[in-house]
Every structure is written in structure tokens, then in C-alpha cells.
Amino acid sequence: MVIIHEAKERDDRAWVATVGFFDGVHRGHRFLIEKLRQAAADRGLPAAVFTFPVHPRVVLQANYQPDLLNSFDERLAHLSATGIDYCAMLDFTPAMARLSAREFITELARRWGVRTLWVGYDHRFGYHRTEGFEEYVAYGAACGMEVLRAPLLEAEGGAVSSSHIRRLLAEGRVEEAARGLTYAYRLKGRVVSGHRIGRRLGFPTANMAVDERFKVWPGMGVYAVRVYLEGNCYKGMLSIGNRPTFDGKDVALEVHLLHFSGCIYQQSIEVEFIRYLRPNRKFDSLDALQTQLAEDCRITDELLSA
């Protein structure tokens, strides 16, 4: 996949393209992109995704904090895996936001050479998003562009969307989220100093500071995870919570690596969510907490060995 970082000036190439933010690059996105690739092959043209480095609402609302499924680099990696030929970056500006659907389609055709434009089943664009697919087809025809719409992709639980996957993650339903994404959800960061409570209990944990500050965290609870550290993969048990047994206040992400010992402070770490194990709860004693942690480890070890 060739990345075009500044799709601003006129481009003499011709494309079969689609446009969107594509957060998550989930099953619905991949279904649309596969339609795009098939059409590009039929027409002998390259397949291109036009996207935005920054979420458009961040440009329009200074205080907006998006809930992201991917960092920018992750999004590019997932887009590359779809087999498209080009990924072109559009500089979303207030001026672009004011373009009508007709004006935007005309820009795609005349400035960026889009010959065929694929849109998602319910995707709308243009100022105030008041128009729909029939208007897009007419505007495209007026400037020599073919506009096509992907059919609705239905999956178990309904249509696949980024917002639906965010809800699944918030509820701890990481297995269902993985089916919608087509990959297990991940968080990447570095190991930072913590309260050292786990070490005193015999289950040392690495406190993780996530790199992408807008990236969604799964809901609070305990998870079985795979942990990637210095090129190696380890079994892990991860907690997202505020340490209720110790009356904690701040929500933290702590991971215990099974069958591992060593100092990993300040190292880069990545966790892949495999299964939700249980909710966080306050234990009556440290012995009860240790017993539960041992059981969590046993279940995690068996689960990730399967």
C-alpha cells in the first residue's frame, strides 16, 4: 500500500475510491473495501482509500475527545492489510466541512481523479449531511463519476459499526468485539511505576500507561490477555479498575505476566484482549484476594494454552 500524505493538489491518476475515517477498520469497513477492490480490478484502476489523519470532529470542536479504536499507525496497518493500492490523506479543514455533497464529489472527481466512488450503506457526507445516495449518484454523473453503494452487512447482533464495537468493549465483551473487528483488540503503552501491591501479594503487576490517549479501554474487570514484550509473547492476566480491596480511586491498567520474572519498568508493552474473566470486587481479606488471583491465573493459563 502506497501512502500519499498530502492529497491536496490536483492528481493526474484515476482511482476507484472510498472516503471515510475508518476507525477500527472493522468487518463492515472490510466488506466495503473488498467491493472497492473488486470494482477497481474490473476497471483496471488502482483501489484507493481517502481518509483523515485526525478525526474530523477534532478540527471542528476544539475540546472534542474522540473514543478511538485505533491509533493512526494502527489504522494504517489495518488498511494496508486489506490489500488496497493507495491510502491518501485528506487535510480536513473548516473549509472542507462547509462543502456541500455536490461540491465534495466534484472535488473528488476533478482534483483527485476519482472515477468510481464507493460509499457505505448508510454513509452521508457534505455540509449538514442532508442529502443521500440518490443525490450522490446525480452529482457524480454530472462530473463523470460513477457512484456505487455497498449493501448492508448484517452480522450476529446487527450491523457492524465502530460505535457498536465501542459499546461491546465498554461492556467487557471483548470476544464479540474481536469478531466485529476481525482481530483481537489491543492496547499499547509503556510500563510505569505503581503501588507495588501485586508484588506483596505474590502476583507482581506491570502498570501500563497507554500511548494513544484517546483510545478506548475495555470496561472495568479482569481479563485474560496475551502480552507482547521485547518480541516475545506471554500469557497475562489484566485488571482494569481502582483496586477496590485497597480503596483505590484512580482507574489503572495492571497486567500480571504468567511464568515470567524480571524488571520491565519503562519498557514498551502491548496487550491483546482474549476473554473477560470476572468483575472487580472488594474482598474481605488479603487471603481471599490471593485465592481469587490464583484461580484467575489457573483459568488464564488453561485458556491461553488451548
Side-chain angles (χ1 to χ4, degrees):
M1 180 183 79
V2 176
I3 300 172
I4 302 173
H5 287 283
E6 294 290 341
K8 290 182 178 180
E9 302 303 325
R10 179 175 176 82
D11 199 305
D12 293 330
R13 283 168 286 202
W15 322 78
V16 176
T18 188
V19 181
F21 189 66
F22 296 102
D23 187 28
V25 195
H26 54 61
R27 186 185 295 180
H29 294 145
R30 291 166 193 261
F31 178 70
L32 168 62
I33 291 171
E34 183 56 29
K35 294 291 184 184
L36 165 76
R37 292 180 64 239
Q38 291 171 2
D42 291 344
R43 291 156 178 76
L45 294 173
V49 167
F50 284 73
T51 191
F52 310 98
V54 177
H55 195 288
R57 284 186 63 183
V58 173
V59 176
L60 300 177
Q61 300 171 237
N63 296 322
Y64 179 69
Q65 298 186 7
D67 293 324
L68 298 178
L69 298 172
N70 293 149
S71 68
F72 176 64
D73 288 340
E74 288 171 337
R75 185 155 49 99
L76 288 185
H78 289 307
L79 285 172
S80 179
T82 66
I84 58 173
D85 300 302
Y86 293 91
C87 182
M89 302 298 147
L90 292 178
D91 182 18
F92 190 86
T93 63
M96 180 179 286
R98 290 191 294 270
L99 292 177
S100 67
R102 181 196 292 271
E103 290 168 331
F104 185 62
I105 286 174
T106 301
E107 286 280 288
L108 289 174
R110 296 181 180 171
R111 178 177 293 187
W112 297 307
V114 176
R115 298 278 184 83
T116 300
L117 176 67
W118 276 88
V119 297
Y121 181 79
D122 60 352
H123 183 65
R124 290 178 180 266
F125 52 83
Y127 192 57
H128 291 322
R129 300 186 179 188
T130 56
E131 298 167 301
F133 179 67
E134 290 74 17
E135 287 84 5
Y136 304 160
V137 171
Y139 301 152
C143 56
M145 178 197 292
E146 176 186 28
V147 181
L148 303 172
R149 179 168 61 180
L152 177 65
L153 175 65
E154 288 282 1
E156 182 181 350
V160 180
S161 69
S162 299
S163 58
H164 178 61
I165 291 169
R166 292 186 196 102
R167 285 193 296 271
L168 292 176
L169 291 172
E171 295 168 6
R173 297 156 66 183
V174 293
E175 290 178 280
E176 293 174 67
R179 287 195 289 272
L181 288 167
T182 73
Y183 56 87
Y185 191 67
R186 291 189 176 200
L187 291 176
K188 183 184 297 185
R190 71 183 189 281
V191 178
V192 297
S193 60
H195 296 276
R196 301 183 181 272
I197 294 172
R199 187 174 301 277
R200 298 204 304 268
L201 296 171
F203 297 90
T205 60
N207 278 55
M208 184 175 169
V210 177
D211 290 341
E212 172 53 70
R213 67 189 182 108
F214 293 131
K215 194 164 181 185
V216 171
W217 289 20
M220 292 201 293
V222 179
Y223 298 84
V225 298
R226 290 192 177 94
V227 183
Y228 297 89
L229 178 70
E230 292 190 315
N232 297 308
C233 179
Y234 301 93
K235 300 173 183 177
M237 180 179 70
L238 180 145
S239 170
I240 299 176
N242 57 0
R243 299 175 294 275
T245 301
F246 300 91
D247 296 321
K249 294 181 180 180
D250 297 328
V251 174
L253 193 156
E254 302 171 280
V255 59
H256 170 70
L257 281 66
L258 278 63
H259 317 301
F260 175 86
S261 62
C263 179
I264 58 175
Y265 179 64
Q266 286 298 337
Q267 291 189 30
S268 295
I269 189 172
E270 188 169 11
V271 295
E272 183 178 69
F273 290 81
I274 305 302
R275 184 177 296 179
Y276 178 85
L277 298 178
R278 63 174 177 85
N280 287 314
R281 65 184 181 90
K282 184 172 183 176
F283 290 85
D284 294 332
S285 67
L286 294 185
D287 286 344
L289 174 57
Q290 287 174 307
T291 298
Q292 180 62 64
L293 291 173
E295 177 65 5
D296 294 337
C297 282
R298 184 192 68 78
I299 294 171
T300 297
D301 204 3
E302 290 183 0
L303 173 66
L304 298 182
S305 296

